[in-house]
Amino acid sequence: MAGHGEAQPMTSGRCGPLTGVAEVPGDKSISHRALILGAMAVGETRITGLLEGQDVLDTGKAMQAFGATVERSGPGEWSVRGVGVGGFREPADVIDCGNSGTGARLIMGSMATTPITATYTGDASLRKRPMGRVTDPLALFGARAFGRAGGRLPMTVVGAADPVPVRYALPVASAQVKSAVLLAGLNTPGETVVIEREPTRDHSEQMLRGFGAELVVETGPEGHVITLVGRPELRPQTVAVPRDPSSAAFPVCAALIVEGSDIRVPGVSQNLTRNGLFLTLVEMGALIDFENPREEGGEPVADLRVRFSPGMKGIEVPPERAPSMIDEYPILAVVAAFAEGRMVMRGVKELRVKESDRIDAMARGLEACGVRVDEDADTLIVHGMGPGGVPGGAVAKTHLDHRIAMSFLVAGMASRAEIGVDDGSPIMTSFPIFEGLMNGLGARVRRG
Ligand code: S3P
């Protein structure tokens, strides 16, 4: 698992035009949810296109520890024989969620209303991340959590024997917290209500409905009011996982900044809760065509044609757009460094509690590469150096964060001197084929 093995330094050098087709793997968020909901249904759920990244594999192992049978039958093809809502058994050992905040938080939600006890841990990155944001609402159902100071892992969660339904207004715009509460609501009698002021990714709502739960979303002055009726019998499903737009972001942004590039990225989600990066890039002047719009695996998708875009300009990203592109700010900061003018990203303090403090990791790494950056608690500003204007010639620290590692390797493809990362091993958590895929397009990413 990432962070448990040796650090893997990687380097990326300036390359010729990127060309060809970038087929990125399955969506990480949807993959986690397919395994968890499959485990909570009665019968066999079949999944195709599952992301076989370490984060998702760790969630699969966890579902087995709770009593489900999880089997692989081919590349991306998995089956889950579920134990039903309330059917989880107590795991015999500690649940290791590796690098995955999504895994840890959603799994905690899924068992919090069943009278079993589970202890969670993760790698050095996950052990620093706040879990109080999920254990606070889970306590309202009657679950108890005993963790390290500040609500950190390792942590033991004792599920509620007689859960009571909850009405919970999210204090942070977080799909993970929303999902944890909804999953806890499954084994709770009555109606569980979650209110979100700003829309966050809606995969849990869509999939809960798909598995047969009764779930209604109303939009009012408070925002989205999501009501779930507890104790449904979830019916097993066939889930076709669409490609991950957060992974597509890397070849897309690489093609925008590498001179002469012209690539295609098929089947990229256009889900409005995930497409903030693409909106922002187009506003900057990126040359992206959205072709062949259609539906795949219940998600709106399009095939992207992406060309080198020397005319891109920094803009102010509307802060309310943050939840729809929260994982894409690191790679956007790289694109901004190769654009003209100032790129202002406000309302991004959530980046400080991701796999790393992503504001700090991007600011320090870009500065080391010769780019001027300003930051405060909730803001990142990148002063663009124009196409081909980034000096590079540095090694960025990735702090066990896959997206920081991939972002700096993309930066190296267009900077004057090579850019290295101290540890590329976390890339395995979300985009295990990154190196081969990028080099297949013409990049020069190497180990060491
Ligand atoms: C995710 C939600 C986001 C995102 C994470 C995946 C999910 O986190 O950063 O990579 O699958 O629900 P928050 O909802 O906490 O912002």
Side-chain angles (χ1 to χ4, degrees), residues 33-387:
R33 286 157 172 82
L35 292 171
I36 295 171
L37 287 176
M40 298 179 86
V42 179
E44 183 170 338
T45 286
R46 291 182 163 277
I47 309 170
T48 55
L50 188 87
L51 168 64
E52 293 176 329
Q54 193 58 48
D55 279 10
V56 174
L57 299 178
D58 287 336
T59 290
K61 270 190 227 131
M63 289 302 103
Q64 279 198 288
F66 282 104
T69 305
V70 181
E71 278 167 0
R72 183 180 195 264
S73 51
E77 284 175 30
W78 291 69
S79 71
V80 183
R81 271 195 303 283
V83 293
V85 168
F88 277 179
R89 69 160 190 235
E90 187 161 280
D93 202 349
V94 173
I95 302 293
D96 190 340
C97 295
N99 190 250
S100 180
T102 310
R105 292 176 177 136
L106 269 56
I107 295 167
M108 284 180 184
S110 70
M111 56 69 69
T113 49
T114 300
I116 54 174
T117 296
T119 299
Y120 298 85
T121 192
D123 70 5
S125 155
L126 187 57
R127 279 184 272 116
K128 284 188 199 141
R129 298 181 66 187
M131 294 295 145
R133 54 175 57 198
V134 291
T135 54
D136 288 351
L138 297 180
L140 303 175
F141 287 94
R144 286 173 299 147
F146 307 91
R148 289 166 60 231
R152 262 71 179 174
L153 302 185
M155 175 178 276
T156 296
V157 178
V158 182
D162 293 304
V164 289
V166 159
R167 183 180 175 89
Y168 191 68
L170 294 179
V172 278
S174 166
Q176 293 180 357
V177 179
K178 170 175 69 176
S179 303
V181 175
L182 290 172
L183 290 167
L186 280 174
N187 195 36
T188 303
E191 291 184 348
T192 290
V193 180
V194 186
I195 302 155
E196 60 175 7
R197 222 173 323 120
E198 294 149 328
T200 64
R201 68 191 66 193
D202 61 359
H203 308 303
S204 295
E205 296 90 306
Q206 306 239 24
M207 290 181 81
L208 279 163
R209 276 207 206 99
F211 275 80
E214 212 180 311
L215 179 142
V216 182
V217 184
E218 289 155 306
T219 309
E222 307 160 280
H224 284 160
V225 181
I226 306 157
T227 304
L228 171 77
V229 179
R231 302 259 161 98
E233 174 144 331
L234 296 184
R235 292 186 298 270
Q237 297 299 301
T238 301
V239 181
V241 180
R243 298 184 196 282
D244 195 326
S246 299
S247 296
F250 295 100
V252 165
C253 290
L256 293 174
I257 62 172
V258 173
E259 200 174 328
S261 296
D262 186 349
I263 66 164
R264 288 181 191 273
V265 190
V268 179
S269 171
Q270 301 298 299
N271 179 320
L272 298 179
T273 64
R274 295 289 296 276
N275 74 343
L277 174 74
F278 302 111
L279 290 178
T280 303
L281 292 172
V282 168
E283 287 172 12
M284 293 173 73
L287 302 174
I288 307 179
D289 300 320
F290 298 85
E291 298 171 347
N292 195 16
R294 61 194 182 279
E295 198 161 287
E296 260 175 28
E299 288 281 307
V301 301
D303 301 330
L304 270 46
R305 179 179 178 201
V306 188
R307 282 168 289 160
F308 172 55
S309 303
M312 287 188 293
K313 305 216 160 22
I315 62 166
E316 285 244 359
V317 186
E320 63 276 11
R321 194 178 284 170
S324 70
M325 53 182 290
I326 194 66
D327 292 333
E328 282 66 77
Y329 284 98
I331 189 63
L332 179 63
V334 167
V335 175
F338 290 90
E340 308 275 359
R342 251 166 41 116
M343 185 89 191
V344 181
M345 296 165 267
R346 294 193 202 283
V348 294
K349 63 175 185 295
E350 273 296 297
L351 296 182
R352 296 209 181 267
V353 290
K354 295 295 179 189
E355 285 82 331
S356 69
D357 175 342
R358 287 180 172 165
I359 296 180
D360 183 69
M362 289 311 299
R364 301 292 82 75
L366 285 172
E367 280 168 356
C369 293
V371 180
R372 215 178 107 212
V373 177
D374 299 316
E375 63 170 300
D376 69 26
D378 198 23
T379 311
L380 177 63
I381 298 173
V382 176
H383 299 265
M385 311 199 72

Side-chain angles (χ1 to χ4, degrees), residues 8 10-12 24-25 28 51 55 99 244-254 257 327-332 334-335 338 355 358 362 396-414 419-438 443 445:
Q8 174 61 69
M10 294 176 78
T11 306
S12 169
V24 304
K28 183 147 70 81
L51 168 64
D55 279 10
N99 190 250
D244 195 326
S246 299
S247 296
F250 295 100
V252 165
C253 290
I257 62 172
D327 292 333
E328 282 66 77
Y329 284 98
I331 189 63
L332 179 63
V334 167
V335 175
F338 290 90
E355 285 82 331
R358 287 180 172 165
M362 289 311 299
K397 290 204 174 97
T398 59
H399 304 281
L400 290 178
D401 190 327
H402 53 130
R403 299 202 197 278
I404 301 299
M406 290 187 280
S407 295
F408 281 104
L409 293 173
V410 167
M413 295 173 198
I419 295 179
V421 295
D422 63 344
D423 184 10
S425 68
I427 294 171
M428 294 307 285
T429 62
S430 71
F431 198 164
I433 61 169
F434 173 82
E435 185 185 349
L437 183 144
M438 294 307 306
V445 176

